Amino acid sequence: MLELTMAAVSGADEGATAGMTMAEAPSEPGAVLRVGRDAALCRLATPEDWLFISRVHLEFVCGPDGGWQLTWLRGSQPDPASEVRLSAGQYTQPVGYGATVPLPHGGSGEIVVQDRTAPRSVNVGFYHEL
């Protein structure tokens, strides 16, 4: 089971958890969870006017071994308006635009989508339950 929690944070709300949303999916091959502005396509939807987030920005997909991968989907713009980083324990890594990275098997952490032009972010916590 992959559990996600998401909070949209602006500079004035630093550390606030109001408006936190959650989603989960079983760790079965082919299971998918998406994060983005389009609520019709994404289980976790960000504010529609936060244009630094694509309609479908992040995609979590369960592989054949029950492990999960995160992909930062390429949007309609050649250069992204945000930066994405993955943190798990003491380890933090940037996620490239259009790149796919594995999530720690049976671990937890956070993916932060940071707006490049304003002090706001979308913070997605994850927990992979074995």
Side-chain angles (χ1 to χ4, degrees), residues 16-61:
T17 56
M20 185 173 283
T21 55
M22 301 176 71
E24 63 182 33
S27 293
E28 297 172 355
V32 177
L33 289 170
R34 293 183 184 95
V35 177
R37 289 189 342 260
D38 190 334
L41 299 172
C42 300
R43 291 278 301 274
L44 294 174
T46 64
E48 289 182 21
D49 61 342
W50 283 27
L51 300 181
F52 72 99
I53 300 289
S54 301
R55 288 180 51 234
V56 181
H57 201 87
L58 302 175
E59 184 173 73
F60 298 82
V61 177

Side-chain angles (χ1 to χ4, degrees), residues 16-121:
T17 56
M20 185 173 283
T21 55
M22 301 176 71
E24 63 182 33
S27 293
E28 297 172 355
V32 177
L33 289 170
R34 293 183 184 95
V35 177
R37 289 189 342 260
D38 190 334
L41 299 172
C42 300
R43 291 278 301 274
L44 294 174
T46 64
E48 289 182 21
D49 61 342
W50 283 27
L51 300 181
F52 72 99
I53 300 289
S54 301
R55 288 180 51 234
V56 181
H57 201 87
L58 302 175
E59 184 173 73
F60 298 82
V61 177
C62 186
D65 65 349
W68 287 83
Q69 294 184 335
L70 163 69
T71 300
W72 179 6
L73 300 171
R74 292 188 70 86
S76 60
Q77 302 298 318
D79 294 315
S82 61
E83 297 174 355
V84 176
R85 68 182 177 275
L86 167 68
S87 297
Q90 302 290 342
Y91 183 71
T92 298
Q93 76 176 68
V95 178
Y97 190 41
T100 298
V101 296
L103 295 181
H105 195 72
S108 63
E110 181 177 52
I111 296 98
V112 176
V113 182
Q114 183 70 50
D115 187 347
R116 288 185 169 168
T117 63
R120 57 188 178 175
S121 65

